[in-house]
Amino acid sequence: MNEYLKIFLSSMLIDNVVLIQFLALCPFIGMTKETDKAAGMGIATSFVMVLATAVTYPIYQCILSPLGLEFLQTLVFILVIASLVQLVEFYLKKSAPALYSSMGVYLALITTNCAILAVTLNCISKNYSFLESIVYAVGSAAGFLLSLVLMSGVRQRIKIAPVPAFLRGTPILFVTAGLLSMAFGGFAGLIK
């Protein structure tokens, strides 16, 4: 159990996909204007991330690797991710139309979200077992959600803060992202 906790905390805080690995910056900047939209995007991406890991791991271990087709992993993984995003899109369109419309193009961009592909590939490259891969994916998903919600909270404060004219808009967002990244860098010594 201790090993799974280490994998979870490491993937969530120490190896955060957004703030440490600098992946998925498009939804990180684009979907954090409002906390509810950021949380919705984080949950949708988290769902796809965990499910993609659960589907791609056995495909790699049971089909691609035994047949010597490891070179197809990126293509196969992207196809799996795209299929899962379509399922999420259909679900949100029916059950949460307001969230579906507010996400706009960013919902379709989950398909090309490099964080999801990176998590699935990391599970293979780190030689995790299936259960370790799921824990890693859940931790990464929680880290993704945490980074989006944190950034949305900071953006709410930035709206009312006296920001110099030359930093207004996107520049202050990237300065803020850099500061959040440095803060998350402080977690590096958390797990030995």
Side-chain angles (χ1 to χ4, degrees):
M1 186 62 164
N2 193 21
E3 188 62 33
Y4 295 123
L5 184 61
K6 283 182 182 179
I7 291 171
F8 177 80
L9 288 176
S10 177
S11 62
M12 181 178 164
L13 301 173
I14 298 167
D15 242 0
N16 186 283
V17 290
V18 178
L19 298 172
I20 300 300
Q21 296 181 37
F22 303 111
L23 300 171
L25 292 177
C26 183
F28 178 68
I29 297 297
M31 286 299 296
T32 54
K33 289 180 183 173
E34 297 173 20
T35 305
D36 57 339
K37 290 180 185 177
M41 177 59 130
I43 291 168
T45 303
S46 297
F47 176 75
V48 172
M49 192 177 291
V50 173
L51 203 55
T53 301
V55 172
T56 57
Y57 184 88
I59 288 174
Y60 181 84
Q61 296 296 337
C62 298
I63 299 171
L64 297 179
S65 185
L67 295 176
L69 299 173
E70 293 93 347
F71 64 93
L72 290 175
Q73 76 179 9
T74 303
L75 176 66
V76 171
F77 287 12
I78 289 173
L79 290 173
V80 168
I81 292 166
S83 301
L84 293 172
V85 169
Q86 288 301 308
L87 291 174
V88 169
E89 242 184 293
F90 292 141
Y91 176 76
L92 286 179
K93 193 173 190 178
K94 293 288 184 188
S95 66
L99 180 60
Y100 174 80
S101 63
S102 72
M103 286 180 156
V105 71
Y106 292 102
L107 185 58
L109 286 177
I110 294 175
T111 302
T112 58
N113 189 331
C114 54
I116 297 171
L117 182 60
V119 167
T120 59
L121 293 174
N122 283 345
C123 291
I124 302 301
S125 68
K126 293 179 186 235
N127 291 320
Y128 283 153
S129 67
F130 181 75
L131 190 54
E132 289 172 334
S133 296
I134 297 301
V135 170
Y136 179 80
V138 169
S140 295
F144 181 79
L145 177 61
L146 176 66
S147 62
L148 260 62
V149 171
L150 279 175
M151 185 62 160
S152 68
V154 171
R155 284 183 77 167
Q156 296 301 316
R157 301 290 294 187
I158 289 174
K159 283 181 186 177
I160 59 172
V163 177
F166 71 95
L167 284 176
R168 288 191 188 123
T170 306
I172 193 66
L173 296 179
F174 281 108
V175 169
T176 304
L179 292 171
L180 284 172
S181 177
M182 287 175 36
F184 269 67
F187 291 121
L190 183 67
I191 296 175
K192 299 275 181 186

